[in-house]
């Protein structure tokens, strides 16, 4: 637990994408893409893949900022964070 003064900064180096060659990741991407195209619902596989990485970043950032009165520095060290979409 990194409460209060135990964590005043988080460095995120890179974007934590899952292994794109993992069969489970490939199946999930294919399933989401198929569902989005055939039903018009949900998100496609590439969007899901990017969101998974952003969720991991959000969790890492949350280690520094735990409550409304907490504070800390967050540094995202990857130029891909500047893009509108990963």
């Amino acid at each position: 637990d990194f409460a209060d003064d135990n964590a005043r900064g988080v460095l995120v180096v890179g974007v934590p994408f899952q292994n794109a060659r993992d069969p489970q990741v490939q199946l999930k991407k294919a399933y989401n893409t198929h569902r989005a195209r055939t039903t018009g619902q949900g998100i496609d596989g590439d969007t899901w893949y990017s969101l998974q990485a952003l969720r991991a970043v959000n969790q890492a950032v949350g280690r520094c900022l735990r409550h409304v009165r907490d504070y800390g520095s967050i540094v995202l060290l990857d130029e891909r964070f500047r893009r509108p979409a990963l």
Side-chain angles (χ1 to χ4, degrees):
D1 185 20
F2 296 115
D4 298 327
D5 287 334
N6 292 324
R8 289 292 178 223
V10 172
L11 296 175
V12 180
V13 181
V15 181
F17 285 107
Q18 296 181 50
N19 181 356
R21 294 181 183 161
D22 182 318
Q24 288 183 323
V25 172
Q26 291 176 344
L27 285 171
K28 180 67 174 180
K29 284 179 72 174
Y31 170 79
N32 280 348
T33 297
H34 176 74
R35 181 170 182 246
R37 286 181 183 163
T38 58
T39 68
Q41 297 179 345
I43 57 175
D44 66 32
D46 290 334
T47 302
W48 169 83
Y49 188 67
S50 292
L51 285 175
Q52 291 300 103
L54 292 175
R55 282 188 187 116
V57 169
N58 192 42
Q59 185 176 16
V61 167
R63 306 257 181 220
C64 180
L65 304 175
R66 310 265 307 182
H67 55 80
V68 71
R69 294 190 176 194
D70 208 356
Y71 63 92
S73 296
I74 299 163
V75 180
L76 305 174
L77 294 174
D78 193 305
E79 67 182 30
R80 291 175 286 184
F81 287 116
R82 297 180 74 189
R83 296 180 190 165
L86 286 176

